[in-house]
PDB file of all heavy atoms in Angstrom:
ATOM      1  N   MET A   1     101.433 132.129  -6.805  1.00 64.00           N
ATOM      2  CA  MET A   1     102.401 131.413  -6.007  1.00 64.00           C
ATOM      3  C   MET A   1     103.820 131.546  -6.565  1.00 64.00           C
ATOM      4  O   MET A   1     104.765 131.587  -5.816  1.00 64.00           O
ATOM      5  CB  MET A   1     102.038 129.928  -5.929  1.00 64.00           C
ATOM      6  CG  MET A   1     100.827 129.633  -5.115  1.00 64.00           C
ATOM      7  SD  MET A   1     101.241 129.980  -3.402  1.00 64.00           S
ATOM      8  CE  MET A   1      99.710 129.630  -2.635  1.00 64.00           C
ATOM      9  N   ILE A   7     110.362 136.423  -5.887  1.00 75.00           N
ATOM     10  CA  ILE A   7     110.800 137.425  -4.904  1.00 75.00           C
ATOM     11  C   ILE A   7     111.887 136.853  -4.004  1.00 75.00           C
ATOM     12  O   ILE A   7     112.898 137.507  -3.733  1.00 75.00           O
ATOM     13  CB  ILE A   7     109.602 137.946  -4.088  1.00 75.00           C
ATOM     14  CG1 ILE A   7     108.695 138.793  -4.982  1.00 75.00           C
ATOM     15  CG2 ILE A   7     110.069 138.761  -2.883  1.00 75.00           C
ATOM     16  CD1 ILE A   7     107.392 139.201  -4.360  1.00 75.00           C
ATOM     17  N   LEU A   9     113.983 134.435  -4.683  1.00 74.00           N
ATOM     18  CA  LEU A   9     115.219 134.284  -5.445  1.00 74.00           C
ATOM     19  C   LEU A   9     115.914 135.624  -5.668  1.00 74.00           C
ATOM     20  O   LEU A   9     117.139 135.706  -5.628  1.00 74.00           O
ATOM     21  CB  LEU A   9     114.936 133.598  -6.782  1.00 74.00           C
ATOM     22  CG  LEU A   9     114.546 132.122  -6.695  1.00 74.00           C
ATOM     23  CD1 LEU A   9     114.166 131.607  -8.072  1.00 74.00           C
ATOM     24  CD2 LEU A   9     115.667 131.307  -6.093  1.00 74.00           C
ATOM     25  N   ILE A  10     115.143 136.683  -5.903  1.00 75.00           N
ATOM     26  CA  ILE A  10     115.736 138.018  -6.069  1.00 75.00           C
ATOM     27  C   ILE A  10     116.405 138.469  -4.780  1.00 75.00           C
ATOM     28  O   ILE A  10     117.534 138.960  -4.796  1.00 75.00           O
ATOM     29  CB  ILE A  10     114.662 139.039  -6.530  1.00 75.00           C
ATOM     30  CG1 ILE A  10     114.241 138.731  -7.969  1.00 75.00           C
ATOM     31  CG2 ILE A  10     115.185 140.463  -6.399  1.00 75.00           C
ATOM     32  CD1 ILE A  10     113.047 139.519  -8.442  1.00 75.00           C
ATOM     33  N   ILE A  19     127.014 139.804   0.116  1.00 68.00           N
ATOM     34  CA  ILE A  19     127.868 138.952   0.936  1.00 68.00           C
ATOM     35  C   ILE A  19     129.190 138.667   0.227  1.00 68.00           C
ATOM     36  O   ILE A  19     130.238 138.601   0.860  1.00 68.00           O
ATOM     37  CB  ILE A  19     127.114 137.661   1.313  1.00 68.00           C
ATOM     38  CG1 ILE A  19     126.000 138.009   2.313  1.00 68.00           C
ATOM     39  CG2 ILE A  19     128.037 136.612   1.881  1.00 68.00           C
ATOM     40  CD1 ILE A  19     125.027 136.902   2.572  1.00 68.00           C
ATOM     41  N   TYR A  20     129.156 138.522  -1.082  1.00 68.00           N
ATOM     42  CA  TYR A  20     130.388 138.295  -1.846  1.00 68.00           C
ATOM     43  C   TYR A  20     131.372 139.444  -1.628  1.00 68.00           C
ATOM     44  O   TYR A  20     132.580 139.221  -1.488  1.00 68.00           O
ATOM     45  CB  TYR A  20     130.069 138.135  -3.327  1.00 68.00           C
ATOM     46  CG  TYR A  20     131.278 137.955  -4.188  1.00 68.00           C
ATOM     47  CD1 TYR A  20     131.929 136.730  -4.237  1.00 68.00           C
ATOM     48  CD2 TYR A  20     131.783 139.012  -4.941  1.00 68.00           C
ATOM     49  CE1 TYR A  20     133.048 136.553  -5.029  1.00 68.00           C
ATOM     50  CE2 TYR A  20     132.906 138.842  -5.727  1.00 68.00           C
ATOM     51  CZ  TYR A  20     133.541 137.622  -5.766  1.00 68.00           C
ATOM     52  OH  TYR A  20     134.651 137.455  -6.542  1.00 68.00           O
ATOM     53  N   ASP A  21     130.854 140.659  -1.587  1.00 67.00           N
ATOM     54  CA  ASP A  21     131.713 141.817  -1.355  1.00 67.00           C
ATOM     55  C   ASP A  21     132.310 141.821   0.047  1.00 67.00           C
ATOM     56  O   ASP A  21     133.394 142.345   0.265  1.00 67.00           O
ATOM     57  CB  ASP A  21     130.938 143.116  -1.583  1.00 67.00           C
ATOM     58  CG  ASP A  21     130.618 143.341  -3.048  1.00 67.00           C
ATOM     59  OD1 ASP A  21     131.326 142.765  -3.904  1.00 67.00           O
ATOM     60  OD2 ASP A  21     129.652 144.074  -3.337  1.00 67.00           O
ATOM     61  N   MET A  22     131.581 141.253   1.014  1.00 66.00           N
ATOM     62  CA  MET A  22     132.046 141.252   2.401  1.00 66.00           C
ATOM     63  C   MET A  22     133.056 140.153   2.698  1.00 66.00           C
ATOM     64  O   MET A  22     133.746 140.202   3.694  1.00 66.00           O
ATOM     65  CB  MET A  22     130.856 141.067   3.363  1.00 66.00           C
ATOM     66  CG  MET A  22     129.900 142.219   3.368  1.00 66.00           C
ATOM     67  SD  MET A  22     128.482 142.048   4.473  1.00 66.00           S
ATOM     68  CE  MET A  22     128.523 140.416   5.085  1.00 66.00           C
ATOM     69  N   CYS A  23     133.147 139.144   1.856  1.00 65.00           N
ATOM     70  CA  CYS A  23     133.954 137.954   2.149  1.00 65.00           C
ATOM     71  C   CYS A  23     135.439 138.197   1.917  1.00 65.00           C
ATOM     72  O   CYS A  23     136.047 137.610   1.023  1.00 65.00           O
ATOM     73  CB  CYS A  23     133.473 136.765   1.336  1.00 65.00           C
ATOM     74  SG  CYS A  23     131.911 136.132   1.903  1.00 65.00           S
ATOM     75  N   SER A  28     134.326 137.142   8.131  1.00 75.00           N
ATOM     76  CA  SER A  28     133.245 137.628   7.271  1.00 75.00           C
ATOM     77  C   SER A  28     132.641 136.494   6.446  1.00 75.00           C
ATOM     78  O   SER A  28     131.451 136.507   6.154  1.00 75.00           O
ATOM     79  CB  SER A  28     133.729 138.757   6.367  1.00 75.00           C
ATOM     80  OG  SER A  28     134.714 138.305   5.481  1.00 75.00           O
ATOM     81  N   TYR A  31     130.237 134.814   8.809  1.00 83.00           N
ATOM     82  CA  TYR A  31     129.071 135.685   8.962  1.00 83.00           C
ATOM     83  C   TYR A  31     128.160 135.595   7.743  1.00 83.00           C
ATOM     84  O   TYR A  31     126.937 135.538   7.858  1.00 83.00           O
ATOM     85  CB  TYR A  31     129.522 137.133   9.190  1.00 83.00           C
ATOM     86  CG  TYR A  31     128.380 138.107   9.235  1.00 83.00           C
ATOM     87  CD1 TYR A  31     127.576 138.206  10.364  1.00 83.00           C
ATOM     88  CD2 TYR A  31     128.090 138.914   8.140  1.00 83.00           C
ATOM     89  CE1 TYR A  31     126.509 139.089  10.406  1.00 83.00           C
ATOM     90  CE2 TYR A  31     127.029 139.802   8.173  1.00 83.00           C
ATOM     91  CZ  TYR A  31     126.247 139.885   9.305  1.00 83.00           C
ATOM     92  OH  TYR A  31     125.193 140.760   9.329  1.00 83.00           O
ATOM     93  N   ALA A  32     128.758 135.555   6.555  1.00 80.00           N
ATOM     94  CA  ALA A  32     127.983 135.465   5.314  1.00 80.00           C
ATOM     95  C   ALA A  32     127.207 134.157   5.256  1.00 80.00           C
ATOM     96  O   ALA A  32     126.030 134.131   4.888  1.00 80.00           O
ATOM     97  CB  ALA A  32     128.920 135.584   4.113  1.00 80.00           C
ATOM     98  N   VAL A  39     118.365 133.561   6.484  1.00 84.00           N
ATOM     99  CA  VAL A  39     117.348 133.976   5.508  1.00 84.00           C
ATOM    100  C   VAL A  39     116.533 132.765   5.067  1.00 84.00           C
ATOM    101  O   VAL A  39     115.305 132.802   5.022  1.00 84.00           O
ATOM    102  CB  VAL A  39     118.001 134.662   4.285  1.00 84.00           C
ATOM    103  CG1 VAL A  39     117.007 134.819   3.148  1.00 84.00           C
ATOM    104  CG2 VAL A  39     118.554 136.016   4.694  1.00 84.00           C
ATOM    105  N   GLN A  40     117.209 131.676   4.766  1.00 83.00           N
ATOM    106  CA  GLN A  40     116.515 130.473   4.292  1.00 83.00           C
ATOM    107  C   GLN A  40     115.734 129.800   5.415  1.00 83.00           C
ATOM    108  O   GLN A  40     114.794 129.065   5.152  1.00 83.00           O
ATOM    109  CB  GLN A  40     117.530 129.504   3.687  1.00 83.00           C
ATOM    110  CG  GLN A  40     116.907 128.371   2.916  1.00 83.00           C
ATOM    111  CD  GLN A  40     116.149 128.826   1.687  1.00 83.00           C
ATOM    112  OE1 GLN A  40     116.440 129.855   1.114  1.00 83.00           O
ATOM    113  NE2 GLN A  40     115.176 128.041   1.271  1.00 83.00           N
ATOM    114  N   ALA A  41     116.084 130.048   6.676  1.00 83.00           N
ATOM    115  CA  ALA A  41     115.432 129.384   7.804  1.00 83.00           C
ATOM    116  C   ALA A  41     114.140 130.079   8.236  1.00 83.00           C
ATOM    117  O   ALA A  41     113.471 129.602   9.145  1.00 83.00           O
ATOM    118  CB  ALA A  41     116.390 129.312   8.993  1.00 83.00           C
ATOM    119  N   GLY A  44     108.118 130.409   5.585  1.00 81.00           N
ATOM    120  CA  GLY A  44     107.782 130.766   4.223  1.00 81.00           C
ATOM    121  C   GLY A  44     108.914 130.541   3.244  1.00 81.00           C
ATOM    122  O   GLY A  44     108.714 130.576   2.041  1.00 81.00           O
ATOM    123  N   TYR A  46     111.999 128.005   4.004  1.00 78.00           N
ATOM    124  CA  TYR A  46     112.349 126.578   4.031  1.00 78.00           C
ATOM    125  C   TYR A  46     111.129 125.675   3.927  1.00 78.00           C
ATOM    126  O   TYR A  46     111.218 124.551   3.445  1.00 78.00           O
ATOM    127  CB  TYR A  46     113.135 126.223   5.303  1.00 78.00           C
ATOM    128  CG  TYR A  46     112.264 126.081   6.529  1.00 78.00           C
ATOM    129  CD1 TYR A  46     111.735 124.849   6.871  1.00 78.00           C
ATOM    130  CD2 TYR A  46     111.960 127.176   7.323  1.00 78.00           C
ATOM    131  CE1 TYR A  46     110.925 124.710   7.988  1.00 78.00           C
ATOM    132  CE2 TYR A  46     111.161 127.049   8.419  1.00 78.00           C
ATOM    133  CZ  TYR A  46     110.648 125.816   8.757  1.00 78.00           C
ATOM    134  OH  TYR A  46     109.837 125.695   9.852  1.00 78.00           O
ATOM    135  N   ASN A  47     109.973 126.152   4.380  1.00 82.00           N
ATOM    136  CA  ASN A  47     108.781 125.293   4.375  1.00 82.00           C
ATOM    137  C   ASN A  47     107.839 125.602   3.209  1.00 82.00           C
ATOM    138  O   ASN A  47     106.695 125.191   3.225  1.00 82.00           O
ATOM    139  CB  ASN A  47     108.040 125.392   5.702  1.00 82.00           C
ATOM    140  CG  ASN A  47     107.432 126.753   5.949  1.00 82.00           C
ATOM    141  OD1 ASN A  47     107.884 127.733   5.394  1.00 82.00           O
ATOM    142  ND2 ASN A  47     106.442 126.804   6.791  1.00 82.00           N
ATOM    143  N   TYR A  48     108.338 126.307   2.188  1.00 83.00           N
ATOM    144  CA  TYR A  48     107.485 126.590   1.039  1.00 83.00           C
ATOM    145  C   TYR A  48     107.252 125.328   0.222  1.00 83.00           C
ATOM    146  O   TYR A  48     106.137 124.993  -0.124  1.00 83.00           O
ATOM    147  CB  TYR A  48     108.081 127.692   0.163  1.00 83.00           C
ATOM    148  CG  TYR A  48     107.173 128.051  -0.984  1.00 83.00           C
ATOM    149  CD1 TYR A  48     106.018 128.786  -0.743  1.00 83.00           C
ATOM    150  CD2 TYR A  48     107.434 127.622  -2.264  1.00 83.00           C
ATOM    151  CE1 TYR A  48     105.154 129.084  -1.772  1.00 83.00           C
ATOM    152  CE2 TYR A  48     106.576 127.926  -3.304  1.00 83.00           C
ATOM    153  CZ  TYR A  48     105.435 128.657  -3.047  1.00 83.00           C
ATOM    154  OH  TYR A  48     104.570 128.938  -4.065  1.00 83.00           O
ATOM    155  N   GLU A  52     112.932 124.158  -1.483  1.00 85.00           N
ATOM    156  CA  GLU A  52     113.435 125.173  -0.545  1.00 85.00           C
ATOM    157  C   GLU A  52     113.980 124.529   0.728  1.00 85.00           C
ATOM    158  O   GLU A  52     114.955 125.019   1.303  1.00 85.00           O
ATOM    159  CB  GLU A  52     112.339 126.189  -0.208  1.00 85.00           C
ATOM    160  CG  GLU A  52     111.889 127.017  -1.392  1.00 85.00           C
ATOM    161  CD  GLU A  52     112.979 127.885  -1.988  1.00 85.00           C
ATOM    162  OE1 GLU A  52     113.888 128.319  -1.264  1.00 85.00           O
ATOM    163  OE2 GLU A  52     112.920 128.138  -3.200  1.00 85.00           O
ATOM    164  N   TRP A  56     117.806 124.861   2.285  1.00 87.00           N
ATOM    165  CA  TRP A  56     118.168 125.098   3.681  1.00 87.00           C
ATOM    166  C   TRP A  56     119.122 124.023   4.178  1.00 87.00           C
ATOM    167  O   TRP A  56     120.116 124.325   4.833  1.00 87.00           O
ATOM    168  CB  TRP A  56     116.917 125.124   4.571  1.00 87.00           C
ATOM    169  CG  TRP A  56     117.262 125.387   5.995  1.00 87.00           C
ATOM    170  CD1 TRP A  56     117.406 126.604   6.587  1.00 87.00           C
ATOM    171  CD2 TRP A  56     117.567 124.416   7.005  1.00 87.00           C
ATOM    172  NE1 TRP A  56     117.770 126.455   7.899  1.00 87.00           N
ATOM    173  CE2 TRP A  56     117.871 125.107   8.176  1.00 87.00           C
ATOM    174  CE3 TRP A  56     117.610 123.032   7.020  1.00 87.00           C
ATOM    175  CZ2 TRP A  56     118.220 124.474   9.361  1.00 87.00           C
ATOM    176  CZ3 TRP A  56     117.954 122.398   8.199  1.00 87.00           C
ATOM    177  CH2 TRP A  56     118.246 123.114   9.354  1.00 87.00           C
ATOM    178  N   LEU A  63     127.640 125.213   6.218  1.00 88.00           N
ATOM    179  CA  LEU A  63     128.107 125.852   7.441  1.00 88.00           C
ATOM    180  C   LEU A  63     128.691 124.828   8.410  1.00 88.00           C
ATOM    181  O   LEU A  63     129.706 125.094   9.060  1.00 88.00           O
ATOM    182  CB  LEU A  63     126.959 126.620   8.098  1.00 88.00           C
ATOM    183  CG  LEU A  63     127.320 127.468   9.305  1.00 88.00           C
ATOM    184  CD1 LEU A  63     128.359 128.514   8.925  1.00 88.00           C
ATOM    185  CD2 LEU A  63     126.086 128.137   9.877  1.00 88.00           C
ATOM    186  N   THR A  72     122.739 119.600  11.530  1.00 90.00           N
ATOM    187  CA  THR A  72     121.449 119.253  12.124  1.00 90.00           C
ATOM    188  C   THR A  72     120.373 119.548  11.088  1.00 90.00           C
ATOM    189  O   THR A  72     120.065 120.703  10.816  1.00 90.00           O
ATOM    190  CB  THR A  72     121.175 120.068  13.402  1.00 90.00           C
ATOM    191  OG1 THR A  72     121.307 121.455  13.095  1.00 90.00           O
ATOM    192  CG2 THR A  72     122.157 119.714  14.497  1.00 90.00           C
ATOM    193  N   TYR A  73     119.847 118.497  10.491  1.00 88.00           N
ATOM    194  CA  TYR A  73     118.857 118.636   9.435  1.00 88.00           C
ATOM    195  C   TYR A  73     117.445 118.588   9.995  1.00 88.00           C
ATOM    196  O   TYR A  73     117.198 118.006  11.037  1.00 88.00           O
ATOM    197  CB  TYR A  73     119.006 117.514   8.400  1.00 88.00           C
ATOM    198  CG  TYR A  73     120.318 117.519   7.685  1.00 88.00           C
ATOM    199  CD1 TYR A  73     121.163 116.428   7.752  1.00 88.00           C
ATOM    200  CD2 TYR A  73     120.713 118.613   6.931  1.00 88.00           C
ATOM    201  CE1 TYR A  73     122.371 116.427   7.080  1.00 88.00           C
ATOM    202  CE2 TYR A  73     121.917 118.616   6.263  1.00 88.00           C
ATOM    203  CZ  TYR A  73     122.738 117.513   6.341  1.00 88.00           C
ATOM    204  OH  TYR A  73     123.926 117.515   5.676  1.00 88.00           O
ATOM    205  N   PRO A  76     112.014 116.055   6.843  1.00 85.00           N
ATOM    206  CA  PRO A  76     111.027 116.504   5.855  1.00 85.00           C
ATOM    207  C   PRO A  76     109.623 115.963   6.104  1.00 85.00           C
ATOM    208  O   PRO A  76     108.649 116.559   5.663  1.00 85.00           O
ATOM    209  CB  PRO A  76     111.562 116.000   4.522  1.00 85.00           C
ATOM    210  CG  PRO A  76     112.797 115.254   4.796  1.00 85.00           C
ATOM    211  CD  PRO A  76     113.093 115.313   6.246  1.00 85.00           C
ATOM    212  N   ARG A  88     100.227 118.508  -5.733  1.00 63.00           N
ATOM    213  CA  ARG A  88      99.802 119.002  -7.042  1.00 63.00           C
ATOM    214  C   ARG A  88      99.165 117.906  -7.859  1.00 63.00           C
ATOM    215  O   ARG A  88      99.400 116.784  -7.783  1.00 63.00           O
ATOM    216  CB  ARG A  88     100.982 119.581  -7.812  1.00 63.00           C
ATOM    217  CG  ARG A  88     101.484 120.826  -7.162  1.00 63.00           C
ATOM    218  CD  ARG A  88     102.609 121.386  -7.963  1.00 63.00           C
ATOM    219  NE  ARG A  88     103.185 122.489  -7.213  1.00 63.00           N
ATOM    220  CZ  ARG A  88     104.246 123.129  -7.593  1.00 63.00           C
ATOM    221  NH1 ARG A  88     104.843 122.826  -8.697  1.00 63.00           N
ATOM    222  NH2 ARG A  88     104.726 124.116  -6.888  1.00 63.00           N
TER     223      ARG A  88
END
Side-chain angles (χ1 to χ4, degrees):
M1 290 291 178
I7 291 172
L9 290 175
I10 290 171
I19 290 169
Y20 178 77
D21 290 338
M22 293 180 352
C23 288
S28 64
Y31 175 77
V39 168
Q40 192 64 27
Y46 78 91
N47 67 336
Y48 183 74
E52 295 297 330
W56 181 87
L63 186 59
T72 54
Y73 297 120
R88 292 182 187 175

